[in-house]
């Protein structure tokens, strides 16, 4: 593959990262990444204007030729058109944005858009924890829980472009617990970061520390120090995730499972419970499926967005 430099953008609810990703060598090269606030509550038009401004600035910063623009975005994305077909209340007015069309109109460069978790998974599958594997199941566990299945370097999108919503599958431990999507009994509200915090407080833990609201990092520190409520809250979340991942492996049979996100960095109370529950649900042929950490961190969606651009064939135009 010839070396190509792509302007790569990762649009999240709190920040927009934009930089230059060069593909074609032994590993991606990421340069000149700038991060700005999304200011999502100002509406979709504001976010779009910010994205276009960042893309134009990145093009100006490029030392050589730019092949095009690859974008990773929060929300449900139609990857064929680059439209945002749905976004939740955290990004009001973002749903319905013709993102690829508007970026191309403003810059003159071809643009491809992928959902942020799909982009994250594609980056990890091709250049991170899944490199060299025929398939992988990626679970990103942080404030929410997203996922994707990648086989032979291609994302499974589904009929409505939202395949991989691991956080919104049924979980026995979440019976009766309301989910942000409007259903009940889903994994996300008990296994994502806010669910761990809520459970810790329910078990008698502090609601604040140092004058700030309780957060997951502090709970993990307390679990390591022997705080029983913290240990129990993390174990509950890990166990719930492990059950779902084991079930998903029974269905998809990936070569490996890749875990990323802040919650995946929790200590042994979480990880031991996750591994034990995984083995409890996985059928014997998949019970030894490796569960590994992601390797690319915050660079994964930028790399995945650039990779998606190249795979689309636009880079040959």
């Amino acid at each position: 593959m010839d070396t190509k430099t792509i302007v790569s953008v990762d649009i999240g609810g709190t920040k927009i990262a934009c930089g230059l990703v060069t593909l074609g060598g032994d590993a991606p090269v990421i340069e000149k990444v700038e991060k700005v606030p999304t200011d999502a509550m100002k509406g979709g038009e504001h976010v779009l204007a910010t994205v276009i401004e960042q893309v134009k600035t990145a093009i100006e910063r490029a030392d050589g030729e730019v092949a095009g623009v690859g974008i990773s975005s929060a929300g449900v994305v139609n990857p064929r058109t680059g439209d945002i077909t749905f976004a939740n209340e955290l990004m009001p007015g973002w749903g319905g944005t013709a993102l690829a069309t508007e970026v191309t109109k403003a810059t003159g460069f071809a643009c491809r858009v992928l959902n942020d978790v799909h982009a994250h998974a594609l980056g990890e599958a091709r250049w991170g924890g899944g490199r060299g594997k025929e398939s992988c199941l990626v679970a990103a566990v942080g404030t929410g829980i997203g996922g994707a299945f990648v086989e032979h370097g291609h994302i499974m999108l589904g009929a409505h472009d939202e395949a991989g919503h691991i956080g919104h599958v049924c979980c026995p431990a979440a019976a009766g617990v309301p989910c942000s999507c409007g259903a009940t009994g889903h994994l996300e509200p008990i296994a994502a970061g806010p669910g761990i915090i809520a459970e810790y407080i329910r078990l008698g833990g502090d609601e604040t520390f140092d004058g700030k609201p309780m957060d997951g990092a502090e709970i993990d520190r307390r679990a390591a120090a022997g705080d029983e409520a913290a240990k129990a809250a993390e174990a509950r979340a890990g166990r719930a995730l492990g059950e779902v991942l084991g079930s998903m492996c029974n269905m998809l049979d990936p070569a490996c499972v890749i875990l990323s996100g802040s919650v995946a960095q929790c200590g042994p109370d979480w990880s031991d419970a996750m591994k034990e529950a995984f083995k409890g649900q996985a059928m014997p042929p998949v019970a030894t499926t490796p569960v590994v950490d992601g390797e690319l961190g915050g660079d994964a969606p930028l790399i995945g967005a650039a990779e998606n651009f190249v795979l689309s064939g636009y880079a040959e135009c």
Side-chain angles (χ1 to χ4, degrees):
M1 183 174 74
D2 295 335
T3 298
K4 298 185 185 300
T5 298
I6 298 96
V7 173
S8 192
V9 188
D10 180 30
I11 305 168
T14 57
K15 73 176 185 303
I16 296 169
C18 181
L20 299 167
V21 177
T22 300
L23 299 174
D26 293 334
V29 177
I30 306 174
E31 300 177 290
K32 304 178 181 178
V33 176
E34 298 286 342
K35 298 178 182 179
V36 297
T38 306
D39 289 331
M41 300 312 292
K42 292 183 179 180
E45 290 186 5
H46 173 82
V47 175
L48 176 61
T50 303
V51 170
I52 290 172
E53 179 183 359
Q54 291 302 302
V55 170
K56 288 180 175 179
T57 301
I59 292 169
E60 293 172 358
R61 292 200 307 267
D63 295 326
E65 182 180 356
V66 169
V69 182
I71 298 181
S72 154
S73 176
V76 178
V77 175
N78 181 333
R80 295 165 294 282
T81 64
D83 295 346
I84 309 299
T85 59
F86 174 79
N88 64 24
E89 66 277 3
L90 297 178
M91 295 192 71
W94 190 233
T97 302
L99 182 55
T101 298
E102 293 298 330
V103 169
T104 296
K105 186 188 302 182
T107 67
F109 283 88
C111 177
R112 292 290 279 178
V113 185
L114 198 60
N115 164 266
D116 54 354
V117 178
H118 286 168
H120 186 116
L122 185 60
E124 283 288 354
R126 293 183 69 90
W127 296 102
R131 191 171 186 178
K133 301 288 196 306
E134 290 189 356
S135 61
C136 60
L137 174 64
V138 179
V141 191
T143 303
I145 300 178
F149 180 66
V150 185
E151 188 168 29
H152 299 295
H154 296 280
I155 296 281
M156 182 177 73
L157 295 171
H160 303 92
D161 303 312
E162 67 162 11
H165 273 77
I166 296 174
H168 297 280
V169 300
C170 187
C171 171
V177 178
C179 181
S180 61
C181 71
T184 59
H186 286 178
L187 174 68
E188 185 174 277
I190 68 167
I196 295 175
I197 296 169
E199 178 68 0
Y200 176 65
I201 294 171
R202 189 188 73 80
L203 292 172
D206 299 327
E207 295 187 22
T208 62
F209 74 103
D210 293 339
K212 301 177 295 184
M214 182 58 64
D215 63 29
E218 176 62 17
I219 292 174
D220 194 46
R221 285 190 288 270
R222 295 186 181 195
D227 183 316
E228 291 300 326
K231 291 166 69 69
E234 289 198 343
R236 173 179 180 255
R239 188 160 49 248
L241 178 66
E243 288 175 349
V244 167
L245 290 178
S247 297
M248 292 296 99
C249 283
N250 291 341
M251 181 172 69
L252 298 170
D253 191 14
C256 69
V257 176
I258 301 173
L259 292 179
S260 62
S262 57
V263 172
Q265 306 306 311
C266 286
D269 294 291
W270 181 88
S271 59
D272 289 351
M274 184 276 296
K275 292 173 184 176
E276 181 179 358
F278 176 90
K279 291 180 179 178
Q281 287 299 315
M283 295 173 65
V286 300
T288 58
T289 301
V291 179
V292 302
D293 293 331
E295 297 178 2
L296 303 180
D299 291 336
L302 291 173
I303 293 171
E307 187 73 30
N308 180 57
F309 180 89
V310 172
L311 289 174
S312 74
Y314 266 111
E316 304 303 326
C317 295

